[in-house]
C-alpha cells in the first residue's frame, strides 16, 4: 500500500512576516512587500522588487540561535525558515531517516560578485545546501532541486517520492532565493520585468516583479492523516519543451499536469487553483488556456505574485503554505493587481477575497524550458 504523506509543519520568512501565520494575515489584509527601485548595482533600469531587510533577518537568526557570521544571506534565509518548521514539527532532524530537500534557482549567487568573506565553493548549490543539513547534524547528502520556476513544487514531489520509496520517513523541504543585479538584469534582457506593480491576468499587465522569501514544509509518512491535517495527495511534472523562455501557446504541459491532479479529485472538490500568475503576457495566457482545457474555468483562481513578486525557488513552497492557511480560513485570497480580464480564456480570478468551503487545492507552476508542475493538497476530515 502506498504511503500517505502528511504535512507536519511549515514556515514562511519574507518581507511580510517571519512565520506563516504573519504572512497569511498580511496577504489577507491586502499588504504587499513590493517596492519600486531605481537601481541596484550596475542595473540602472527602474524595477519593482520585494526584498528582505537584512537587519531584520539577522535579528531573527540570532533569536533562533543561528550564528549570523557563519552563513551567507541566502543560507540564513534557508535556516531561519527551516529551524522554525523543524521545531514546530517536533522531529529529530539529525536522524538518517530524515532527508533535506533544498529548492533554489541561483543559490549563493552573490558570491559571484566582489570579494566575499566565504569560500568560493559555497556558490555550488550542493555545498550551500549542505550548510543547512549540517546545521541540524543530518548525515544524509541533501537533495537539491534546481528546475527554474517550478523548483518548489518539484522539491515537494521529490520529497514525496523519497518517502514513498521507504528510504526516509520524513523530509524537510526548504526553498529560497536572493535577488541580485545578475538576476534582475537577466530578466530585464527578456523584457519580462515591470517597473510598476505586477498585474496577473489583467488586460494591462506589463511583466513580472521579483522577490525574496524562504519557505519550508515538513512532510512525513503516515498510516492515516488526522482530521484537520494536510495530506499531499499527488504531484506531477510535465514538460512541453516549447522554448527555453516561453511557454507552450496551447498550455500543453500545464494542462497535462492539471489532468493528472484531476485523477484524484473533481473540479467541485477544489477550493481554488493557486496559479503561477507572473503577469507576463504569455504565461498568464498559457495558464488560462490550460485551465480551460482541463475544465477548470469556473473554479476560483488565486495568484500571490502581487504580494511577494516571483520568489523563484521559494515560490512553489510559499504559495502552497499560504494556500493551506487560506483553505483552513475558508478563503480564496484576492489576486492583487487584477482588475479586468486580459486572457483569451476567462478564468475565475478576483481582486477581492472570496469564501470557499472546499478542502482541496491545486498548486500550479510553469517555468523556463517548457517545464510545468502541479500538486494536490487535501485537508483531511473536519476542522
Amino acid at each position: 500500500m502506498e504511503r500517505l504523506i502528511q504535512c507536519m509543519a511549515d514556515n514562511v520568512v519574507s518581507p511580510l512576516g517571519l512565520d506563516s501565520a504573519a504572512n497569511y494575515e498580511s496577504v489577507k489584509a491586502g499588504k504587499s512587500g513590493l517596492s519600486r527601485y531605481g537601481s541596484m548595482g550596475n542595473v540602472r533600469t527602474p524595477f519593482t522588487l520585494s526584498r528582505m531587510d537584512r537587519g531584520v533577518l539577522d535579528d531573527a537568526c540570532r533569536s533562533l540561535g543561528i550564528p549570523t557570521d557563519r552563513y551567507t544571506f541566502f543560507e540564513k534565509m534557508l535556516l531561519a525558515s527551516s529551524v522554525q518548521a523543524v521545531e514546530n514539527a517536533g522531529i529529530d532532524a539529525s536522524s538518517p531517516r530524515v532527508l533535506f530537500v533544498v529548492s533554489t534557482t541561483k543559490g549563493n549567487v552573490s558570491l559571484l560578485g566582489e570579494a566575499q568573506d566565504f569560500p568560493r565553493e559555497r556558490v555550488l548549490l550542493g555545498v550551500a545546501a549542505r550548510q543547512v543539513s549540517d546545521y541540524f547534524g543530518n548525515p544524509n547528502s541533501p537533495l537539491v532541486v534546481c528546475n527554474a520556476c517550478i523548483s518548489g513544487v518539484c522539491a515537494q514531489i521529490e520529497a514525496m517520492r523519497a518517502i514513498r520509496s521507504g528510504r526516509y520517513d520524513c523530509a524537510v523541504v526548504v526553498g529560497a532565493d536572493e535577488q541580485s543585479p545578475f538576476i534582475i538584469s537577466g530578466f530585464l534582457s527578456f523584457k519580462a520585468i515591470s517597473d510598476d506593480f505586477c498585474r496577473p491576468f489583467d488586460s494591462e499587465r506589463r511583466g513580472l516583479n521579483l522577490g525574496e522569501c524562504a519557505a519550508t514544509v515538513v512532510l512525513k509518512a503516515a498510516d492515516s492523516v488526522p482530521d484537520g491535517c494536510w495530506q499531499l495527495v499527488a504531484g506531477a511534472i510535465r514538460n512541453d519543451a516549447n522554448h527555453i523562455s516561453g511557454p507552450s501557446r496551447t498550455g500543453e504541459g500545464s494542462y497535462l499536469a492539471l489532468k493528472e491532479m484531476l485523477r484524484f479529485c473533481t473540479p467541485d472538490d477544489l477550493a481554488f487553483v493557486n496559479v503561477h500568475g507572473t503577469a507576463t503576457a504569455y504565461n498568464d495566457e498559457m495558464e488560462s488556456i490550460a485551465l480551460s482545457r482541463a475544465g477548470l474555468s469556473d473554479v476560483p483562481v488565486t495568484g500571490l505574485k502581487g504580494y511577494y513578486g516571483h520568489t523563484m525557488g521559494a515560490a512553489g513552497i510559499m504559495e502552497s503554505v499560504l494556500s493551506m492557511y487560506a483553505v483552513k480560513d475558508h478563503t480564496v485570497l484576492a489576486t492583487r493587481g487584477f482588475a479586468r480580464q486580459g486572457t483569451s480564456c476567462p478564468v475565475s480570478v478576483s481582486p477581492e477575497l472570496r469564501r470557499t468551503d472546499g478542502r482541496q487545492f491545486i498548486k500550479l507552476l510553469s517555468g523556463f524550458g517548457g517545464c510545468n508542475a502541479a500538486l494536490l493538497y487535501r485537508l483531511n476530515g473536519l476542522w
Side-chain angles (χ1 to χ4, degrees), residues 66-80:
I66 301 167
T68 58
D69 59 338
R70 285 177 49 190
Y71 300 102
T72 66
F73 170 70
F74 165 68
E75 293 159 5
K76 285 184 284 191
M77 281 202 297
L78 292 173
L79 286 168

Side-chain angles (χ1 to χ4, degrees), residues 258 273 275 287-297 301 347 364:
L258 288 169
V273 178
V275 293
E287 284 194 294
S288 78
I289 294 171
L291 289 162
S292 176
R293 289 182 65 191
L296 297 172
S297 296
V301 164
V347 290
L364 179 67

Side-chain angles (χ1 to χ4, degrees), residues 238-260:
R238 299 291 184 267
N239 297 324
D240 55 49
N242 178 70
H243 188 270
I244 192 171
S245 63
S248 163
R249 300 298 185 265
T250 61
E252 191 67 21
S254 289
Y255 161 70
L256 291 172
L258 288 169
K259 289 295 286 183
E260 181 66 17

Side-chain angles (χ1 to χ4, degrees), residues 42-228:
N42 60 357
V43 176
R44 296 290 183 264
T45 303
F47 57 91
T48 298
L49 177 72
S50 174
R51 197 162 189 252
M52 281 291 304
D53 184 301
R54 273 55 178 164
V56 169
L57 181 64
D58 277 353
D59 289 343
C61 286
R62 282 190 283 267
S63 71
L64 295 167
I66 301 167
T68 58
D69 59 338
R70 285 177 49 190
Y71 300 102
T72 66
F73 170 70
F74 165 68
E75 293 159 5
K76 285 184 284 191
M77 281 202 297
L78 292 173
L79 286 168
S81 180
S82 58
V83 166
Q84 294 182 75
V86 165
E87 181 178 337
N88 293 338
I91 63 169
D92 176 9
S94 67
S95 168
R97 300 291 296 174
V98 174
L99 174 68
F100 278 80
V101 184
V102 176
S103 164
T104 186
T105 68
K106 298 294 185 292
N108 277 317
V109 65
S110 62
L111 295 185
L112 294 173
E114 299 176 359
Q116 301 284 336
D117 296 329
F118 298 95
R120 186 78 170 187
E121 67 174 3
R122 295 267 272 273
V123 77
L124 301 175
L125 299 184
V127 176
R130 191 81 208 201
Q131 305 307 309
V132 177
S133 59
D134 282 353
Y135 177 87
F136 290 96
N138 186 275
N140 301 314
S141 294
L143 177 63
V144 178
V145 177
C146 180
N147 192 5
C149 307
I150 71 170
S151 298
V153 168
C154 288
Q156 293 174 76
I157 292 171
E158 289 303 316
M160 177 172 61
R161 291 171 176 170
I163 293 170
R164 285 180 172 167
S165 74
R167 294 180 62 193
Y168 306 97
D169 298 321
C170 185
V172 180
V173 186
V174 55
D177 266 304
E178 65 174 310
Q179 298 301 332
S180 72
F182 174 80
I183 296 172
I184 295 165
S185 62
F187 276 96
L188 282 169
S189 71
F190 286 122
K191 301 188 184 302
I193 285 187
S194 172
D195 61 349
D196 202 353
F197 299 104
C198 66
R199 305 183 67 171
F201 293 94
D202 190 79
S203 59
E204 301 297 322
R205 66 189 186 277
R206 296 187 346 207
L208 59 78
N209 305 143
L210 293 169
E212 291 178 338
C213 174
T216 306
V217 290
V218 179
L219 303 176
K220 187 176 181 181
D223 294 326
S224 63
V225 177
D227 287 355

Side-chain angles (χ1 to χ4, degrees), residues 350-365:
S350 171
E352 307 294 335
L353 297 171
R354 289 176 283 174
R355 179 177 171 81
T356 181
D357 290 318
R359 299 183 186 182
Q360 303 183 61
F361 70 88
I362 291 174
K363 172 65 204 144
L364 179 67
L365 279 180

